[in-house]
Amino acid sequence: MITPEQTQELHASEVYWTARAMQEQGSRFYRALGDALHAADAANRRLILTTWPDACWDFYRRGLRLRAAEGEG
C-alpha cells in the first residue's frame, strides 16, 4: 500500500510518463490501462489512480526513470 504522501504525489503528477511506462513495460492489461490513463479526463484519471494505487505508483516511478533517460527530468 502506498503512503498518503505518495498518493498525493501520484495524483499531482503529469500522467504522460506513467502511461508511457505502462504502455512500454507492462503486461497486456497494463498497456491497455496506460492507454486509458493517457486518454482519461480528470475524473477517470482519479478513478484509475485510486483503483490500482500500488501498480500506478510502480509505473509512475518507472516513468520517472524513462523521463530521466530521455533527458527530460
Side-chain angles (χ1 to χ4, degrees):
M1 198 71 180
I2 66 175
T3 68
E5 293 80 16
Q6 291 170 324
T7 300
Q8 184 177 1
E9 183 177 344
L10 185 60
H11 284 266
S13 71
E14 171 57 49
V15 298
Y16 172 79
W17 291 102
T18 303
R20 183 167 163 190
M22 287 177 166
Q23 294 162 340
E24 291 181 7
Q25 300 175 5
S27 65
R28 186 170 144 198
F29 173 80
Y30 285 113
R31 286 192 306 266
L33 191 60
D35 291 341
L37 182 62
H38 189 261
D41 60 14
N44 286 315
R45 183 178 311 127
R46 184 167 202 68
L47 179 63
I48 291 168
L49 295 176
T50 56
T51 303
W52 295 282
D54 295 323
C56 289
W57 179 255
D58 177 51
F59 283 107
Y60 167 70
R61 302 293 296 161
R62 293 182 195 197
L64 292 177
R65 289 190 293 272
L66 282 174
R67 185 178 73 181
E70 292 200 10
E72 296 197 25

